[in-house]
mmCIF file of all heavy atoms in Angstrom:
data_model
loop_
_atom_site.group_PDB
_atom_site.id
_atom_site.type_symbol
_atom_site.label_atom_id
_atom_site.label_comp_id
_atom_site.label_asym_id
_atom_site.label_seq_id
_atom_site.Cartn_x
_atom_site.Cartn_y
_atom_site.Cartn_z
ATOM 1 N N ALA A 59 98.300 63.613 51.689
ATOM 2 C CA ALA A 59 97.065 62.848 51.499
ATOM 3 C C ALA A 59 97.078 61.589 52.364
ATOM 4 O O ALA A 59 96.065 61.239 52.985
ATOM 5 C CB ALA A 59 96.876 62.485 50.029
ATOM 6 N N ALA A 60 98.210 60.913 52.419
ATOM 7 C CA ALA A 60 98.317 59.702 53.246
ATOM 8 C C ALA A 60 98.082 60.040 54.718
ATOM 9 O O ALA A 60 97.321 59.359 55.412
ATOM 10 C CB ALA A 60 99.691 59.052 53.068
ATOM 11 N N TRP A 61 98.716 61.085 55.186
ATOM 12 C CA TRP A 61 98.553 61.509 56.585
ATOM 13 C C TRP A 61 97.096 61.895 56.860
ATOM 14 O O TRP A 61 96.524 61.496 57.875
ATOM 15 C CB TRP A 61 99.495 62.677 56.880
ATOM 16 C CG TRP A 61 99.287 63.269 58.225
ATOM 17 C CD1 TRP A 61 99.766 62.803 59.417
ATOM 18 C CD2 TRP A 61 98.527 64.441 58.525
ATOM 19 N NE1 TRP A 61 99.345 63.608 60.429
ATOM 20 C CE2 TRP A 61 98.585 64.630 59.923
ATOM 21 C CE3 TRP A 61 97.809 65.348 57.758
ATOM 22 C CZ2 TRP A 61 97.948 65.686 60.545
ATOM 23 C CZ3 TRP A 61 97.181 66.405 58.388
ATOM 24 C CH2 TRP A 61 97.252 66.560 59.763
ATOM 25 N N GLY A 62 96.515 62.675 55.948
ATOM 26 C CA GLY A 62 95.145 63.119 56.131
ATOM 27 C C GLY A 62 94.150 61.972 56.078
ATOM 28 O O GLY A 62 93.202 61.919 56.871
ATOM 29 N N MET A 63 94.352 61.038 55.156
ATOM 30 C CA MET A 63 93.431 59.905 55.070
ATOM 31 C C MET A 63 93.555 59.011 56.302
ATOM 32 O O MET A 63 92.551 58.499 56.788
ATOM 33 C CB MET A 63 93.659 59.099 53.790
ATOM 34 C CG MET A 63 93.088 59.780 52.564
ATOM 35 S SD MET A 63 93.077 58.735 51.108
ATOM 36 C CE MET A 63 94.802 58.630 50.732
ATOM 37 N N TRP A 64 94.776 58.827 56.785
ATOM 38 C CA TRP A 64 94.938 58.012 57.990
ATOM 39 C C TRP A 64 94.234 58.678 59.176
ATOM 40 O O TRP A 64 93.684 58.007 60.041
ATOM 41 C CB TRP A 64 96.415 57.793 58.308
ATOM 42 C CG TRP A 64 96.590 56.731 59.335
ATOM 43 C CD1 TRP A 64 96.919 56.910 60.642
ATOM 44 C CD2 TRP A 64 96.431 55.324 59.156
ATOM 45 N NE1 TRP A 64 96.966 55.704 61.291
ATOM 46 C CE2 TRP A 64 96.676 54.706 60.394
ATOM 47 C CE3 TRP A 64 96.098 54.523 58.060
ATOM 48 C CZ2 TRP A 64 96.593 53.326 60.573
ATOM 49 C CZ3 TRP A 64 96.027 53.157 58.245
ATOM 50 C CH2 TRP A 64 96.265 52.575 59.493
ATOM 51 N N GLY A 65 94.216 60.016 59.169
ATOM 52 C CA GLY A 65 93.505 60.760 60.201
ATOM 53 C C GLY A 65 92.025 60.935 59.913
ATOM 54 O O GLY A 65 91.333 61.665 60.620
ATOM 55 N N ARG A 66 91.538 60.297 58.856
ATOM 56 C CA ARG A 66 90.120 60.302 58.469
ATOM 57 C C ARG A 66 89.618 61.711 58.175
ATOM 58 O O ARG A 66 88.533 62.099 58.565
ATOM 59 C CB ARG A 66 89.279 59.621 59.547
ATOM 60 C CG ARG A 66 89.721 58.220 59.816
ATOM 61 C CD ARG A 66 89.095 57.536 60.986
ATOM 62 N NE ARG A 66 88.432 58.418 61.927
ATOM 63 C CZ ARG A 66 87.346 58.092 62.597
ATOM 64 N NH1 ARG A 66 86.804 56.919 62.435
ATOM 65 N NH2 ARG A 66 86.799 58.919 63.448
ATOM 66 N N ARG A 67 90.410 62.464 57.444
ATOM 67 C CA ARG A 67 90.040 63.825 57.061
ATOM 68 C C ARG A 67 89.348 63.802 55.701
ATOM 69 O O ARG A 67 89.855 63.241 54.739
ATOM 70 C CB ARG A 67 91.280 64.719 56.966
ATOM 71 C CG ARG A 67 92.099 64.788 58.224
ATOM 72 C CD ARG A 67 91.394 65.655 59.246
ATOM 73 N NE ARG A 67 92.247 65.905 60.378
ATOM 74 C CZ ARG A 67 92.088 65.350 61.563
ATOM 75 N NH1 ARG A 67 91.113 64.495 61.773
ATOM 76 N NH2 ARG A 67 92.897 65.635 62.549
ATOM 77 N N TYR A 68 88.204 64.455 55.640
ATOM 78 C CA TYR A 68 87.408 64.503 54.412
ATOM 79 C C TYR A 68 88.196 65.111 53.261
ATOM 80 O O TYR A 68 88.191 64.596 52.150
ATOM 81 C CB TYR A 68 86.128 65.302 54.692
ATOM 82 C CG TYR A 68 85.172 65.342 53.532
ATOM 83 C CD1 TYR A 68 84.270 64.311 53.336
ATOM 84 C CD2 TYR A 68 85.172 66.412 52.645
ATOM 85 C CE1 TYR A 68 83.380 64.335 52.277
ATOM 86 C CE2 TYR A 68 84.285 66.447 51.583
ATOM 87 C CZ TYR A 68 83.398 65.407 51.406
ATOM 88 O OH TYR A 68 82.529 65.435 50.354
ATOM 89 N N TRP A 69 88.877 66.240 53.519
ATOM 90 C CA TRP A 69 89.620 66.945 52.471
ATOM 91 C C TRP A 69 90.683 66.047 51.843
ATOM 92 O O TRP A 69 90.942 66.126 50.645
ATOM 93 C CB TRP A 69 90.250 68.235 53.009
ATOM 94 C CG TRP A 69 91.226 68.008 54.131
ATOM 95 C CD1 TRP A 69 90.966 68.091 55.473
ATOM 96 C CD2 TRP A 69 92.614 67.641 54.022
ATOM 97 N NE1 TRP A 69 92.098 67.793 56.196
ATOM 98 C CE2 TRP A 69 93.126 67.524 55.335
ATOM 99 C CE3 TRP A 69 93.468 67.405 52.949
ATOM 100 C CZ2 TRP A 69 94.456 67.178 55.602
ATOM 101 C CZ3 TRP A 69 94.801 67.066 53.219
ATOM 102 C CH2 TRP A 69 95.275 66.957 54.533
ATOM 103 N N ALA A 70 91.314 65.197 52.652
ATOM 104 C CA ALA A 70 92.374 64.331 52.134
ATOM 105 C C ALA A 70 91.793 63.260 51.211
ATOM 106 O O ALA A 70 92.358 62.968 50.153
ATOM 107 C CB ALA A 70 93.135 63.689 53.291
ATOM 108 N N VAL A 71 90.668 62.693 51.609
ATOM 109 C CA VAL A 71 90.023 61.670 50.770
ATOM 110 C C VAL A 71 89.563 62.298 49.455
ATOM 111 O O VAL A 71 89.765 61.740 48.378
ATOM 112 C CB VAL A 71 88.841 61.006 51.511
ATOM 113 C CG1 VAL A 71 88.160 59.980 50.615
ATOM 114 C CG2 VAL A 71 89.312 60.357 52.806
ATOM 115 N N LEU A 72 88.985 63.488 49.542
ATOM 116 C CA LEU A 72 88.512 64.180 48.344
ATOM 117 C C LEU A 72 89.676 64.508 47.398
ATOM 118 O O LEU A 72 89.588 64.275 46.191
ATOM 119 C CB LEU A 72 87.770 65.452 48.740
ATOM 120 C CG LEU A 72 87.125 66.247 47.612
ATOM 121 C CD1 LEU A 72 86.054 65.417 46.932
ATOM 122 C CD2 LEU A 72 86.534 67.539 48.174
ATOM 123 N N ALA A 73 90.773 65.026 47.933
ATOM 124 C CA ALA A 73 91.943 65.357 47.103
ATOM 125 C C ALA A 73 92.538 64.095 46.471
ATOM 126 O O ALA A 73 92.903 64.093 45.286
ATOM 127 C CB ALA A 73 93.001 66.074 47.939
ATOM 128 N N PHE A 74 92.617 63.023 47.257
ATOM 129 C CA PHE A 74 93.156 61.778 46.721
ATOM 130 C C PHE A 74 92.257 61.233 45.617
ATOM 131 O O PHE A 74 92.745 60.746 44.594
ATOM 132 C CB PHE A 74 93.326 60.747 47.844
ATOM 133 C CG PHE A 74 93.979 59.486 47.382
ATOM 134 C CD1 PHE A 74 95.333 59.454 47.068
ATOM 135 C CD2 PHE A 74 93.254 58.314 47.264
ATOM 136 C CE1 PHE A 74 95.945 58.294 46.627
ATOM 137 C CE2 PHE A 74 93.853 57.148 46.836
ATOM 138 C CZ PHE A 74 95.201 57.143 46.518
ATOM 139 N N GLN A 75 90.933 61.347 45.800
ATOM 140 C CA GLN A 75 90.012 60.898 44.757
ATOM 141 C C GLN A 75 90.211 61.698 43.465
ATOM 142 O O GLN A 75 90.130 61.133 42.375
ATOM 143 C CB GLN A 75 88.569 61.034 45.223
ATOM 144 C CG GLN A 75 88.116 59.897 46.079
ATOM 145 C CD GLN A 75 86.632 59.976 46.331
ATOM 146 O OE1 GLN A 75 86.151 60.958 46.874
ATOM 147 N NE2 GLN A 75 85.914 58.956 45.921
ATOM 148 N N ALA A 76 90.463 62.989 43.591
ATOM 149 C CA ALA A 76 90.705 63.804 42.394
ATOM 150 C C ALA A 76 91.939 63.295 41.655
ATOM 151 O O ALA A 76 91.945 63.205 40.414
ATOM 152 C CB ALA A 76 90.867 65.269 42.779
ATOM 153 N N LEU A 77 92.981 62.936 42.393
ATOM 154 C CA LEU A 77 94.194 62.417 41.754
ATOM 155 C C LEU A 77 93.961 61.033 41.154
ATOM 156 O O LEU A 77 94.492 60.714 40.087
ATOM 157 C CB LEU A 77 95.338 62.383 42.768
ATOM 158 C CG LEU A 77 95.787 63.764 43.254
ATOM 159 C CD1 LEU A 77 96.786 63.626 44.390
ATOM 160 C CD2 LEU A 77 96.377 64.566 42.108
ATOM 161 N N VAL A 78 93.142 60.226 41.811
ATOM 162 C CA VAL A 78 92.808 58.899 41.268
ATOM 163 C C VAL A 78 92.048 59.048 39.952
ATOM 164 O O VAL A 78 92.323 58.343 38.979
ATOM 165 C CB VAL A 78 91.996 58.064 42.289
ATOM 166 C CG1 VAL A 78 91.402 56.821 41.642
ATOM 167 C CG2 VAL A 78 92.870 57.677 43.463
ATOM 168 N N VAL A 79 91.113 59.987 39.896
ATOM 169 C CA VAL A 79 90.355 60.215 38.656
ATOM 170 C C VAL A 79 91.297 60.641 37.535
ATOM 171 O O VAL A 79 91.175 60.168 36.401
ATOM 172 C CB VAL A 79 89.246 61.271 38.875
ATOM 173 C CG1 VAL A 79 88.719 61.795 37.557
ATOM 174 C CG2 VAL A 79 88.124 60.680 39.684
ATOM 175 N N LEU A 80 92.245 61.518 37.843
ATOM 176 C CA LEU A 80 93.207 61.933 36.813
ATOM 177 C C LEU A 80 94.025 60.748 36.315
ATOM 178 O O LEU A 80 94.269 60.618 35.113
ATOM 179 C CB LEU A 80 94.126 63.026 37.360
ATOM 180 C CG LEU A 80 93.484 64.389 37.575
ATOM 181 C CD1 LEU A 80 94.468 65.349 38.228
ATOM 182 C CD2 LEU A 80 92.976 64.953 36.256
ATOM 183 N N ALA A 81 94.433 59.881 37.220
ATOM 184 C CA ALA A 81 95.211 58.702 36.817
ATOM 185 C C ALA A 81 94.357 57.764 35.962
ATOM 186 O O ALA A 81 94.820 57.259 34.934
ATOM 187 C CB ALA A 81 95.730 57.965 38.047
ATOM 188 N N VAL A 82 93.108 57.545 36.361
ATOM 189 C CA VAL A 82 92.220 56.654 35.601
ATOM 190 C C VAL A 82 91.986 57.221 34.198
ATOM 191 O O VAL A 82 92.065 56.493 33.201
ATOM 192 C CB VAL A 82 90.888 56.435 36.350
ATOM 193 C CG1 VAL A 82 89.845 55.805 35.451
ATOM 194 C CG2 VAL A 82 91.119 55.578 37.591
ATOM 195 N N LEU A 83 91.720 58.511 34.109
ATOM 196 C CA LEU A 83 91.505 59.121 32.789
ATOM 197 C C LEU A 83 92.763 59.056 31.925
ATOM 198 O O LEU A 83 92.697 58.743 30.741
ATOM 199 C CB LEU A 83 91.048 60.567 32.946
ATOM 200 C CG LEU A 83 89.638 60.762 33.508
ATOM 201 C CD1 LEU A 83 89.357 62.248 33.746
ATOM 202 C CD2 LEU A 83 88.609 60.159 32.587
ATOM 203 N N THR A 84 93.903 59.348 32.519
ATOM 204 C CA THR A 84 95.162 59.322 31.772
ATOM 205 C C THR A 84 95.456 57.921 31.245
ATOM 206 O O THR A 84 95.784 57.742 30.070
ATOM 207 C CB THR A 84 96.319 59.805 32.666
ATOM 208 O OG1 THR A 84 96.048 61.139 33.093
ATOM 209 C CG2 THR A 84 97.642 59.762 31.927
ATOM 210 N N PHE A 85 95.320 56.918 32.114
ATOM 211 C CA PHE A 85 95.632 55.560 31.678
ATOM 212 C C PHE A 85 94.547 54.996 30.764
ATOM 213 O O PHE A 85 94.818 54.081 29.982
ATOM 214 C CB PHE A 85 95.926 54.661 32.875
ATOM 215 C CG PHE A 85 97.337 54.850 33.369
ATOM 216 C CD1 PHE A 85 97.627 55.836 34.290
ATOM 217 C CD2 PHE A 85 98.365 54.075 32.876
ATOM 218 C CE1 PHE A 85 98.926 56.048 34.726
ATOM 219 C CE2 PHE A 85 99.674 54.276 33.301
ATOM 220 C CZ PHE A 85 99.955 55.261 34.234
ATOM 221 N N SER A 86 93.343 55.541 30.815
ATOM 222 C CA SER A 86 92.322 55.168 29.832
ATOM 223 C C SER A 86 92.752 55.639 28.450
ATOM 224 O O SER A 86 92.569 54.929 27.450
ATOM 225 C CB SER A 86 90.973 55.799 30.188
ATOM 226 O OG SER A 86 90.485 55.286 31.383
ATOM 227 N N LEU A 87 93.318 56.829 28.382
ATOM 228 C CA LEU A 87 93.817 57.335 27.105
ATOM 229 C C LEU A 87 95.043 56.550 26.633
ATOM 230 O O LEU A 87 95.217 56.315 25.436
ATOM 231 C CB LEU A 87 94.145 58.828 27.216
ATOM 232 C CG LEU A 87 92.941 59.746 27.441
ATOM 233 C CD1 LEU A 87 93.402 61.181 27.696
ATOM 234 C CD2 LEU A 87 91.995 59.692 26.253
ATOM 235 N N PHE A 88 95.897 56.138 27.572
ATOM 236 C CA PHE A 88 97.065 55.332 27.206
ATOM 237 C C PHE A 88 96.655 53.980 26.626
ATOM 238 O O PHE A 88 97.409 53.371 25.871
ATOM 239 C CB PHE A 88 97.986 55.105 28.407
ATOM 240 C CG PHE A 88 98.785 56.313 28.816
ATOM 241 C CD1 PHE A 88 99.290 56.397 30.102
ATOM 242 C CD2 PHE A 88 99.043 57.355 27.941
ATOM 243 C CE1 PHE A 88 100.041 57.494 30.504
ATOM 244 C CE2 PHE A 88 99.782 58.461 28.330
ATOM 245 C CZ PHE A 88 100.280 58.523 29.613
ATOM 246 N N LEU A 89 95.465 53.501 26.976
ATOM 247 C CA LEU A 89 94.987 52.228 26.426
ATOM 248 C C LEU A 89 94.920 52.262 24.901
ATOM 249 O O LEU A 89 95.127 51.250 24.235
ATOM 250 C CB LEU A 89 93.601 51.900 26.975
ATOM 251 C CG LEU A 89 93.543 51.146 28.292
ATOM 252 C CD1 LEU A 89 92.113 51.105 28.810
ATOM 253 C CD2 LEU A 89 94.094 49.749 28.146
ATOM 254 N N VAL A 90 94.645 53.440 24.360
ATOM 255 C CA VAL A 90 94.536 53.590 22.907
ATOM 256 C C VAL A 90 95.866 53.257 22.235
ATOM 257 O O VAL A 90 95.893 52.691 21.143
ATOM 258 C CB VAL A 90 94.085 55.023 22.543
ATOM 259 C CG1 VAL A 90 94.115 55.258 21.058
ATOM 260 C CG2 VAL A 90 92.711 55.301 23.111
ATOM 261 N N GLU A 91 96.963 53.587 22.913
ATOM 262 C CA GLU A 91 98.278 53.381 22.312
ATOM 263 C C GLU A 91 99.042 52.204 22.894
ATOM 264 O O GLU A 91 100.220 52.047 22.610
ATOM 265 C CB GLU A 91 99.106 54.655 22.458
ATOM 266 C CG GLU A 91 98.479 55.804 21.711
ATOM 267 C CD GLU A 91 99.495 56.777 21.188
ATOM 268 O OE1 GLU A 91 100.701 56.506 21.300
ATOM 269 O OE2 GLU A 91 99.065 57.799 20.662
ATOM 270 N N ALA A 92 98.389 51.399 23.720
ATOM 271 C CA ALA A 92 99.068 50.238 24.295
ATOM 272 C C ALA A 92 99.484 49.306 23.163
ATOM 273 O O ALA A 92 98.647 48.809 22.420
ATOM 274 C CB ALA A 92 98.152 49.523 25.281
#
Side-chain angles (χ1 to χ4, degrees):
W61 174 81
M63 284 190 290
W64 193 254
R66 303 171 343 146
R67 303 285 189 253
Y68 184 85
W69 60 264
V71 178
L72 184 63
F74 185 72
Q75 278 189 301
L77 294 172
V78 168
V79 164
L80 289 175
V82 166
L83 290 174
T84 300
F85 280 87
S86 295
L87 293 173
F88 286 158
L89 273 171
V90 174
E91 297 211 6

